[in-house]
Amino acid sequence: MGSRFKILSFPTVKMFIGGSKEGEDYEGPREDPEGIVEFLKSRADPSFTPPPKPVDAADAVLVLTDSNFDQAIAEHPMVLVDFYAPWCGHCKTLEPDFRDAAAMIRDAGVLAVALAKVDATVEKGLAAKYEVKGFPTLKIFEGGAKPMPYEGPRDAHGIVEHLRGLAGPPSTELTDASEAAQRKAGAPVLVVYAAESLADLDAWLDVARSLRRQVTFVHSTEPAVWDALGVEEGVTILKAFDEPVVRFDGGPADAARLRELINYHRFEVAMPIRRGDKAALRVFFEDETRPNLFLFLANADLPEGQAAVAAFREAAQAVRGAMVSGYFSMAGFPEVFEVFGLKDAAKRNELPEVLIELRKTAARYRMGKREVTAAAVAEFVAAYQAGALAPYVKSQPEPADNSGAVRVVVGSTFERDASRAGRWVLLKAYAPWCGHCKTLAPVFEAVGAAYAGVEGVAMAEVDATENDVPKSLGLKSYPTLYLFRGDGSAPEAYAGERNVRAIVEFVANRTGVAPSPSYVPPPPPP
């Protein structure tokens, strides 16, 4: 079913209308029940006609290389760049929508946005510079700021609408007091430039452009607006948490200090993170330069939970500029405990637990079985900063018998048995619940049998839901096959057909090692 309907990621929603056997991708709202209903009503209307596809779309996507990349980024206020690999199935699925979106933006002539693509298998320097780990990787370049990951839809119309929301003015001019009050009430962090002449508006817009995806910027020359916001002339940060009003002692032209102040104050100290709170989760996953400091509790509403949060907050306040802090409650967000390998700790009543996570490498450090006091958390953080802690690896137990044709790799043995195994290893990363993984399982066992007893090559598998795998793999879907040299270098992701013959040929061609003499190639698939 998955291959028939070209299902490459989850969830994929398809509509079957009027007896259609192939179906079409659902491109409507995903989180608004009423919006979903309205979209389906419109599609069920016999008079519905799809939006016209753009013509001559091929030239709308810029083709970037090392020689023209910097110039193209400098010439366009905003560029959405697709780092792709020609062999990648996900990239091929995205390509027509990406091309159509580029043509729609070009033909409308309204948005100052360009869409571009980089063949990351050729432009390896650009891929390394912008930390491209998997394909396709989409990044937004704007105004010289650090590129941000694209987190919007991947259909043509969705891409255009998402970019439309990002490409507007980075700061809104307020002239009405009632609108100002609404803005203040609706923004967790509102940064205000109040001045009679707005002499530094260009500098202000540059700062706003670099942080527009993190906080809301407004500016005004109207004293009535200032009063409604509760600010004086100058630059002020208004927050719905911690310190409600923070005055900046400089002006917009002092851009570096202003950015530093905004970045310091835009994160709530010890933020509660609840199921479905995408805004909170985005805070912790958007910035890979700062470690995350997390508190995991059984129930934050109980007295002992409240005491732990208070102690944690006191310690987190001292490192708020260096770390982003938040807490999870098992009672309200149990799924996250499994993600961080703390499900068993919760079952054994070993909570609360404090954990430091590095987003860039996915390394994690646990405080362990200690009472959560401000002093204990501060000591734990200091040990981490001094490099005195060993990372915690989420791992299943190593199997007692690992003599099968497909070896079992777990988190604690990943380096020994895969990345630095001293031989070629074709590793299958899978999820037990994944239908595609179950389909591939007998195929991969047969590949393992083909190389059973052969020196220099091994087949292995890892349950990536129960064991930590390096973030550098860029694992995005299941199953994914990686071929390791075994010398610590980066693996190659397999993107060919998922049958025994194709996988064995891939391994033999890449490694130069033939399968067992007893291997009989199956006939080619029809």
Side-chain angles (χ1 to χ4, degrees):
M1 293 288 285
S3 60
R4 174 186 171 187
F5 294 113
K6 300 178 181 178
I7 307 300
L8 299 176
S9 60
F10 305 103
T12 293
V13 182
K14 286 197 173 272
M15 301 183 298
F16 295 82
I17 301 172
S20 167
K21 294 183 178 180
E22 297 303 319
E24 62 183 80
D25 289 340
Y26 171 81
E27 297 179 350
R30 295 265 179 148
E31 298 175 6
D32 174 16
E34 293 183 358
I36 294 173
V37 171
E38 290 303 314
F39 181 85
L40 293 176
K41 284 182 178 178
S42 69
R43 289 295 285 108
D45 186 340
S47 64
F48 173 84
T49 55
K53 285 284 187 179
V55 295
D56 190 27
D59 297 332
V61 178
L62 304 177
V63 179
L64 302 185
T65 64
D66 184 65
S67 62
N68 67 358
F69 189 91
D70 290 341
Q71 179 182 350
I73 298 301
E75 287 178 352
H76 298 85
M78 179 181 291
V79 185
L80 175 61
V81 180
D82 172 18
F83 292 89
Y84 72 98
W87 45 258
C88 166
H90 296 285
C91 302
K92 294 175 183 177
T93 300
L94 173 66
E95 182 181 10
D97 281 296
F98 195 79
R99 183 179 63 241
D100 289 350
M104 292 164 68
I105 291 173
R106 178 200 62 190
D107 296 343
V110 176
L111 296 180
V113 181
L115 272 65
K117 63 181 181 180
V118 172
D119 183 344
T121 66
V122 175
E123 305 299 333
K124 296 182 179 179
L126 289 175
K129 179 178 180 179
Y130 295 111
E131 301 179 341
V132 176
K133 305 297 185 183
F135 305 111
T137 292
L138 276 65
K139 291 181 178 279
I140 297 174
F141 293 76
E142 181 184 15
K146 178 184 176 181
M148 296 290 293
Y150 172 82
E151 298 176 340
R154 297 205 172 191
D155 63 278
H157 292 277
I159 292 171
V160 173
E161 289 307 310
H162 189 78
L163 292 176
R164 192 190 308 278
L166 294 178
S171 178
T172 302
E173 182 173 10
L174 298 180
T175 58
D176 180 77
S178 61
E179 180 187 0
Q182 292 175 357
R183 285 273 181 166
K184 181 179 179 180
V189 181
L190 186 68
V191 189
V192 184
Y193 174 31
E196 292 183 358
S197 64
L198 298 178
D200 291 328
L201 183 59
D202 287 343
W204 172 255
L205 293 177
D206 285 342
V207 172
R209 195 170 290 113
S210 67
L211 289 167
R212 66 186 300 170
R213 288 183 287 272
Q214 287 77 39
V215 298
T216 302
F217 290 84
V218 297
H219 56 277
S220 180
T221 60
E222 301 293 332
V225 169
W226 306 354
D227 291 342
L229 294 174
V231 303
E232 300 175 356
E233 189 167 7
V235 176
T236 307
I237 302 173
L238 303 176
K239 302 191 297 177
F241 51 83
D242 300 337
E243 313 95 319
V245 179
V246 179
R247 288 274 299 167
F248 180 50
D249 61 6
D254 194 356
R257 287 182 59 240
L258 178 54
R259 287 191 184 95
E260 183 179 357
L261 186 71
I262 295 170
N263 275 320
Y264 182 85
H265 281 283
R266 69 185 178 91
F267 299 113
E268 180 179 357
V269 177
M271 177 187 299
I273 312 166
R274 302 178 179 89
R275 180 198 285 124
D277 189 346
K278 291 188 176 182
L281 289 170
R282 190 177 297 116
V283 165
F284 292 95
F285 298 136
E286 70 176 19
D287 187 352
E288 295 189 341
T289 63
R290 302 191 199 193
N292 292 328
L293 179 63
F294 289 134
L295 170 66
F296 294 83
L297 298 155
N299 193 327
D301 295 327
L302 296 178
E304 56 268 31
Q306 294 172 355
V309 169
F312 177 74
R313 180 174 285 113
E314 181 181 342
Q317 178 69 35
V319 292
R320 66 183 296 182
M323 293 182 168
V324 185
S325 58
Y327 66 88
F328 299 95
S329 175
M330 184 74 177
F333 200 170
E335 299 88 347
V336 79
F337 286 71
E338 183 169 354
V339 172
F340 283 92
L342 295 173
K343 179 178 63 176
D344 291 338
K347 289 180 179 178
R348 294 191 298 264
N349 295 318
E350 294 176 356
L351 301 178
E353 174 66 281
V354 178
L355 180 146
I356 293 172
E357 178 194 39
L358 279 68
R359 287 296 305 159
K360 193 165 188 176
T361 63
R364 294 166 181 164
Y365 303 82
R366 287 176 62 174
M367 190 171 81
K369 299 177 183 179
R370 299 176 60 184
E371 182 183 358
V372 176
T373 65
V377 175
E379 182 181 339
F380 169 61
V381 170
Y384 160 76
Q385 293 174 328
L389 299 179
Y392 156 75
V393 177
K394 175 184 171 184
S395 178
Q396 293 176 306
E398 185 176 355
D401 180 9
N402 208 358
S403 58
V406 176
R407 292 180 58 83
V408 175
V409 172
V410 296
S412 60
T413 66
F414 192 93
E415 184 171 329
R416 185 193 74 195
D417 290 345
S419 61
R420 294 187 181 275
R423 59 180 174 178
W424 292 93
V425 176
L426 182 65
L427 178 74
K428 177 184 71 174
Y430 74 95
W433 44 259
C434 165
H436 295 293
C437 302
K438 294 174 183 177
T439 301
L440 182 63
V443 173
F444 200 69
E445 284 289 338
V447 175
Y451 274 91
V454 176
E455 291 293 325
V457 177
M459 304 299 136
E461 63 182 9
V462 59
D463 179 350
T465 67
E466 293 291 341
N467 300 278
D468 282 340
V469 298
K471 187 178 180 183
S472 58
L473 292 184
L475 178 62
K476 294 181 179 179
S477 60
Y478 304 115
T480 298
L481 303 182
Y482 297 98
L483 182 62
F484 290 86
R485 288 180 174 272
D487 59 0
S489 60
E492 177 183 356
Y494 175 73
E497 296 182 11
R498 293 178 177 177
N499 59 65
V500 176
R501 187 186 190 97
I503 297 174
V504 169
E505 288 179 357
F506 167 78
V507 173
N509 290 336
R510 290 293 194 273
T511 66
V513 180
S516 167
S518 62
Y519 166 69
V520 178

